[in-house]
Amino acid sequence: MKARLAVGAVLGAVVLIVLAAVPSNALNRIREWPRGSVANIVAKESGVPQARAHGTWKVRDTSNGTRSISSAKVQDLRPGGNSAFVELRTQSNSGICASPEYTSCTKKWYHYKSDQTRRTNSDRWVSLSASTSVDQADSFTRGVMKVCEDQRLSPDPCSGYTYTYGDKY
Amino acid sequence: MRRILQQAIALAVVVVLASATAGWATQGWRSQSKPLRVFDGGVAKGAGYGSFSAAPASGRVKVSNAGKLRDLKPTGNSIYHDTRYSFFTCGSGCNAATGSTFQSTRWNGNYWRKFTPSKTHNLSSAYDFARGAIKVCEDQKFSPDPCSGQVVTGFDHF
């Protein structure tokens, strides 16, 4: 009985030590956007849908360093005119963010860098991506996306922003 | 059988404890098949991958980066790896308390060779996590050095 207890305690200690020693970053974790039950984010102008998008976001080490990457499926709902694109805003957090999903942080998320996908003018779903580097001064990042209709002579109508869960890198 | 199992577990504990108390932490960055690459004018000039480490020693920390380099255009300029590291402390937010940079020796062979520059850093107080930002660059005399994007890596306090 004593021996069994001892082995149990030892095993417990081993697990604790191994857990403490393993770096807990979450590279390559795929985050779907938009979150929740909504299928797409939609850009409207005067109430008329112009473009919509959904996709995934992740933090990944690439041959060009550590990147925040958004892979979007974009559809131009009024093709032939202006084209559609997705804007990625990479946000950072300099606080401590608690699991699950790093939604609760001791500091506010702030904007680090932005990128936009190429434009599409197609009525079919097109795969487009945007990416930025990540802030070396922080540990947590998340992707913020909106879909827009590119208009030359007036401000682009855009959807609201959608936010992914955060990830440690 | 049970005794063997117990001995094996005890040994495992000793090994784990020893490596934990040794206190160094290390993080690999990229690999030989998928290295960081530096481009200039659309041409790949150099590649690198390696292992970023920190080891404490009585109030000081030895920060090192064992990075292998390969010059993909070995006739001209040489390449090097560059490490910027910081130690962060956290209150309501986390701020870089201290840090520095170091670079490897220049290399212009078109085969892999390891360079392990290091820096011993005075660290007066505890920190919560350490970060390293690593890039591979090409040394150019008359213009700014082109560099790869940076890998950002690190570990929590040890």
Side-chain angles (χ1 to χ4, degrees):
Chain A
M1 187 62 193
K2 256 185 195 166
R4 212 178 272 176
L5 268 178
V7 169
V10 163
L11 274 177
V14 168
V15 168
L16 278 180
I17 289 165
V18 168
L19 279 180
V22 169
S24 53
N25 66 41
L27 292 176
N28 298 318
R29 178 183 284 175
I30 290 170
R31 303 290 196 178
E32 291 185 359
W33 57 265
R35 271 161 56 190
S37 56
V38 185
N40 291 288
I41 48 176
V42 183
K44 292 181 184 173
E45 188 174 33
S46 310
V48 181
Q50 306 287 319
R52 60 180 179 171
H54 63 271
T56 59
W57 172 86
K58 66 189 168 190
V59 188
R60 189 172 167 226
D61 276 348
T62 73
S63 62
N64 195 29
T66 308
R67 312 278 299 173
S68 152
I69 302 168
S70 190
S71 304
K73 298 267 190 196
V74 189
Q75 186 182 34
D76 190 345
L77 296 170
R78 291 172 66 83
N82 302 310
S83 40
F85 66 97
V86 163
E87 181 171 307
L88 159 71
R89 296 168 69 86
T90 297
Q91 291 193 339
S92 268
N93 202 299
S94 64
I96 302 169
C97 301
S99 295
E101 318 295 1
Y102 307 112
T103 44
S104 167
C105 302
T106 54
K107 298 278 268 191
K108 284 181 89 166
W109 292 92
Y110 70 90
H111 173 71
Y112 178 60
K113 278 189 179 174
S114 300
D115 189 34
Q116 295 180 351
T117 65
R118 285 185 291 110
R119 272 55 181 160
T120 173
N121 222 323
S122 171
D123 61 350
R124 283 185 288 184
W125 288 104
V126 177
S127 297
L128 299 170
S129 73
S131 74
T132 77
S133 56
V134 296
D135 194 347
Q136 67 190 24
D138 291 315
S139 298
F140 296 95
T141 183
R142 68 178 179 182
V144 182
M145 268 69 57
K146 64 179 178 180
V147 62
C148 302
E149 178 94 344
D150 198 349
Q151 296 195 348
R152 255 172 241 164
L153 304 176
S154 52
D156 297 349
C158 294
S159 68
Y161 286 111
T162 182
Y163 300 80
T164 68
Y165 287 123
D167 273 322
K168 193 173 184 185
Y169 59 92
Chain B
M1 186 61 196
R2 192 152 141 200
R3 192 181 288 173
I4 292 172
L5 187 66
Q6 281 177 10
Q7 282 173 351
I9 289 171
L11 184 65
V13 169
V14 168
V15 169
V16 169
L17 279 178
S19 60
T21 48
W24 57 272
T26 188
Q27 277 281 355
W29 51 276
R30 305 306 289 160
S31 64
Q32 188 163 321
S33 59
K34 293 179 174 176
L36 268 184
R37 293 199 294 168
V38 49
F39 286 84
D40 192 23
V43 179
K45 299 287 194 161
Y49 69 98
S51 185
F52 170 73
S53 305
S58 57
R60 297 191 297 179
V61 178
K62 187 181 178 189
V63 184
S64 62
N65 195 351
K68 283 198 171 180
L69 292 173
R70 183 171 178 178
D71 192 337
L72 301 173
K73 293 281 174 198
T75 49
N77 303 308
S78 6
I79 62 162
Y80 61 95
H81 61 80
D82 176 288
T83 306
R84 190 197 307 191
Y85 66 89
S86 310
F87 292 98
F88 288 78
T89 52
C90 300
S92 63
C94 304
N95 296 300
T98 180
S100 188
T101 62
F102 57 81
Q103 294 179 347
S104 73
T105 307
R106 272 52 181 163
W107 175 240
N108 59 11
N110 71 342
Y111 56 92
W112 292 107
R113 178 151 170 200
K114 185 156 86 176
F115 297 90
T116 312
S118 67
K119 198 157 194 167
T120 302
H121 196 93
N122 286 318
L123 200 62
S124 53
S125 59
Y127 66 92
D128 291 294
F129 64 89
R131 305 294 266 162
I134 299 144
K135 54 191 178 181
V136 174
C137 304
E138 184 179 59
D139 197 346
Q140 297 192 350
K141 261 173 226 163
F142 302 110
S143 50
D145 294 355
C147 293
S148 68
Q150 63 185 20
V151 165
V152 181
T153 187
F155 27 79
D156 294 341
H157 69 280
F158 45 72

